[in-house]
Amino acid sequence: MDAAARRNYVPAERARSFYTFVGAVIAAAVLVAAMPVARLTETLPDLPAAFWVMAALAVLCDYRPFTPPGRRQSSAVFPSICFTFAILLAWGLGPAVLVQAAAVVVSSWRMRHAVWRAVFNIAQYTLALGAAEAVTYALGETAFGEGSGPTWIDVAAVTLAAVAWFVVKYGTVTIAVRLHSGGNWWTTFRQGVAFESVSIGALLLLAPILVGPASHSVALIPLMLVPLFAVYRMSRLSSEQEQLARLDPLTGLANRKALLAEVHEQATLHCARAAAGAADRHFALLLLDIDRFKHVNDALGHAVGDQLLVEVSGRLVEAVDRHDVVARLGGDEFAILTPRLTDAAGARALADRIVTALSEPVALDGLPLDVAGSIGIALFPEHGDDFATLMRHADVAMYDAKHRNDTVVVYKPESDHNTPERLSLLGDLRRALDPDLATMAAGEITMYYQPQIEIQTGEVVGVEALLRWRHPTRGMVDPEELIKVAEQSAVMRLLTRRVVDDVVEQLAKWQAAGVTLRAAVNVSIRDLHTLEIVDQIRERLARFGVSPDQLQLEITEGALMADPRRVLATISELAKLGVAIALDDFGTGYSSMQHLRRLPLTEVKVDRSFVLGMATDADDHAIVRTVIDLAGALGLRVVAEGVEDERTWRLLRSVGCHVAQGWFYARPMPADELVEWLGRYRPLTPNN
């Protein structure tokens, strides 16, 4: 069988299975109801007024059943169930099937169902009523039909009959939906089981309560409308609460829970379509982060920030198609699920529409605010087949966009450092950093310190704090690998918090021992996106009595260029605090003169890749000299890292470099070894 034949064969086979099942249910219902319905010609005229009142109410109540939004129509609340189950208990299967059929005809006409569907629904109800009748017959329950006082056994029998009714009815619906639409059996079953078991169970168990009063007075039957209305309201309120639980209270968009359910449903549908040979087996998840939102909150207040989020959500809804789902995940993060795609170009086109929609300034409180964001895209099934994987990969793409100073990036595996091995390492790192989880099994996080030497005087003017992690099974983890593992997740902030805490505490210990040094700490782009790091450093310095000028933060050019405005806001607050700011790896990125002029920098560090080669490579020597001249013109101190021999040290002195660090002086070492090294150190100057 060729591919084209297979594409036609699978859906056709499923359709045959569906209609075969429908036919089997109808045939079984005919067999079950044939004899009881045939006897109606004899028994119908003798039925009491109570029956006719119940029948009329069953039909009238089903004229407008309640269908909860977002559910399949089989989840509608049909009040006729209560009356027909009561009729079954009091007068048998035939009258119950007749009334239920009449109610189905009315509701199907009202809901515009096809004829075959109405017949199928009647058949389902018939089988359910037949199952309930069989249970009551097998258990010898006759009290409700005879009007005598029911015993506990009778009540138990009726309860079991109601369970049998529900199992048959819900089971036939589930099988039919699965055969018709495909997908996972368990997903299809659980889609409405909680809601229907409560609403239908309440209707069924009201029926025996209705039979008792009906045997005494017909006038009591309409009073059943009150508890039926209560069931109706309960169902509506339950559905509304569930809907509210899936909405973001500020914007009215879907929330994370709703997005998760939608992604799961779309994955199931697309897998079914792929199995059927359909071509549209892609959908995309777009993750959007609003740039500089923190600045709006800080400068104009949270009320204006909320207005901005509402305005952004409105623009997103207008930019997408009606089939797309827009969700707010919290803070300034939004997600868009677009279910109808053929390739990544469609997702990019949608992202471009979103960028265009956000490009127009938003007027809030008379101020025009520029809105921009970074968008990461993950495709199903190429980049993941579940919510967690797609979200993680869209997040990787979004941060890749920030690092590249781009607007839209589609996920690429080569940009994702989170291989299974690294994810395992990330979990170990999280446990090592969490004081509640830290154990010997997580390894040991420690700080090493490398001296920084004033070239002209040989004086030790500071140290660079370097993170080290001794893993229990892998040994010492490479620092670059450690940062790659952490920087694309929230663990990076935990890591920075730990480093700042340890370094400030160590500065206080050295100070108490009579050693005053400045320590430089590296921070990532994630640390600079909020002012949280400013508050943390302010609190730690105050707690340990350390002067702000003893701490220096090093940021890379990549972090600076990923989001210059947000980074500028954070480091400006740090500079006001008195903490020095250094630009690390200078010369390897794309810093503009405008940013260098505006940043409150005190120091630049020449990247080791240039320093290592300056003694043998004229180009590297020229680059280092140019960087030093530029920094001098801007009034910045220059630190050269990677100084490993005397020749390089002398060349750096000759071109005017201020500070050097590297193995020529000392390797990184633990804090206690540094104190011992300081005791042995003899300054090296150009004259000796």
Side-chain angles (χ1 to χ4, degrees), residues 291-564:
D291 295 336
R292 302 177 298 281
F293 177 71
K294 175 71 173 176
H295 300 173
V296 175
N297 272 345
D298 292 342
L300 303 178
H302 290 278
V304 175
D306 288 348
Q307 293 178 41
L308 178 61
L309 291 175
V310 172
E311 176 66 24
V312 168
S313 66
R315 293 190 182 188
L316 291 177
V317 171
E318 292 177 1
V320 304
D321 297 329
R322 63 185 181 89
H323 301 290
D324 300 337
V325 177
V326 182
R328 181 185 174 220
L329 304 180
D332 58 347
E333 270 196 344
F334 294 83
I336 300 94
L337 173 67
T338 178
R340 300 188 177 185
L341 291 174
T342 55
D343 52 30
R348 270 195 167 275
L350 174 60
D352 290 339
R353 292 206 307 271
I354 291 172
V355 171
T356 302
L358 296 179
S359 62
E360 192 71 22
V362 177
L364 295 176
D365 283 0
L367 296 174
L369 300 179
D370 290 328
V371 181
S374 303
I375 300 177
I377 301 174
L379 296 174
F380 172 94
E382 292 92 329
H383 303 150
D385 57 5
D386 60 75
F387 177 78
T389 304
L390 288 170
M391 278 291 294
R392 184 172 66 82
H393 288 168
D395 188 61
V396 169
M398 183 185 72
Y399 274 97
D400 192 21
K402 289 185 179 295
H403 280 292
R404 292 162 50 180
N405 201 26
D406 203 347
T407 306
V408 180
V409 170
V410 179
Y411 172 77
K412 295 179 181 178
E414 56 267 28
S415 300
D416 187 2
H417 304 297
N418 293 324
T419 62
E421 181 181 2
R422 282 180 173 170
L423 287 176
S424 173
L425 198 63
L426 181 64
D428 293 340
L429 179 59
R430 184 186 295 274
R431 285 188 289 274
L433 293 170
D434 191 328
D436 296 327
L437 300 176
T439 62
M440 290 299 295
E444 182 184 7
I445 298 286
T446 57
M447 298 304 302
Y448 277 48
Y449 299 89
Q450 186 170 35
Q452 296 178 332
I453 313 297
E454 179 79 39
I455 292 179
Q456 295 296 332
T457 65
E459 179 186 358
V460 180
V461 294
V463 293
E464 181 179 5
L466 301 168
L467 186 68
R468 295 293 184 265
W469 179 25
R470 187 180 298 278
H471 191 275
T473 58
R474 307 182 191 211
M476 294 298 291
V477 178
D478 181 80
E480 290 188 9
E481 178 76 3
L482 175 59
I483 297 303
K484 285 181 180 179
V485 166
E487 68 179 352
Q488 290 190 350
S489 74
V491 173
M492 190 67 227
R493 290 183 180 175
L494 293 177
L495 192 60
T496 301
R497 177 179 291 273
R498 172 66 175 272
V499 169
V500 169
D501 288 353
D502 287 358
V503 170
V504 173
E505 184 176 0
Q506 185 60 55
L507 287 172
K509 291 179 179 178
W510 283 334
Q511 185 172 280
V515 178
T516 302
L517 292 172
R518 183 192 69 229
V521 175
N522 291 277
V523 292
S524 75
I525 183 173
R526 280 183 179 264
D527 302 314
L528 301 173
H529 273 178
T530 72
L531 296 178
E532 179 182 340
I533 191 172
V534 181
D535 297 333
Q536 178 198 355
I537 289 176
R538 180 186 294 111
E539 190 274 332
R540 294 304 187 275
L541 292 175
R543 175 190 296 184
F544 291 103
V546 174
S547 174
D549 60 10
Q550 288 184 251
L551 185 66
Q552 176 173 282
L553 298 189
E554 296 183 356
I555 64 173
T556 64
E557 287 190 90
L560 169 63
M561 297 308 297
D563 194 346

Side-chain angles (χ1 to χ4, degrees), residues 239-251:
S239 178
E240 289 174 352
Q241 288 177 354
E242 185 173 340
Q243 286 293 106
L244 289 174
R246 291 170 173 261
L247 295 178
D248 174 58
L250 175 64
T251 62

Side-chain angles (χ1 to χ4, degrees), residues 14-39:
R14 193 169 65 209
R16 282 196 297 272
S17 299
F18 171 73
Y19 286 114
T20 299
F21 175 73
V22 170
V25 170
I26 293 174
V30 170
L31 292 176
V32 169
M35 291 292 292
V37 171
R39 296 196 192 101

Side-chain angles (χ1 to χ4, degrees), residues 9 45 145 224 235 271 308 439 450 463 496 597 626:
Y9 173 76
M224 183 53 63
S235 302
C271 286
L308 178 61
T439 62
Q450 186 170 35
V463 293
T496 301
R597 179 173 55 84
T626 302

Side-chain angles (χ1 to χ4, degrees), residues 66-69 71-72 74-78 166 170 190-202 231-232 234-240 242:
F66 167 58
T67 303
R71 297 183 183 275
R72 62 194 191 194
S74 59
S75 296
V77 178
F78 293 95
F166 178 79
Y170 192 78
R190 71 178 184 177
Q191 184 178 5
V193 66
F195 174 82
E196 294 199 30
S197 61
V198 173
S199 58
I200 292 177
V231 172
Y232 174 86
M234 175 195 70
S235 302
R236 177 177 287 278
L237 290 173
S238 174
S239 178
E240 289 174 352
E242 185 173 340

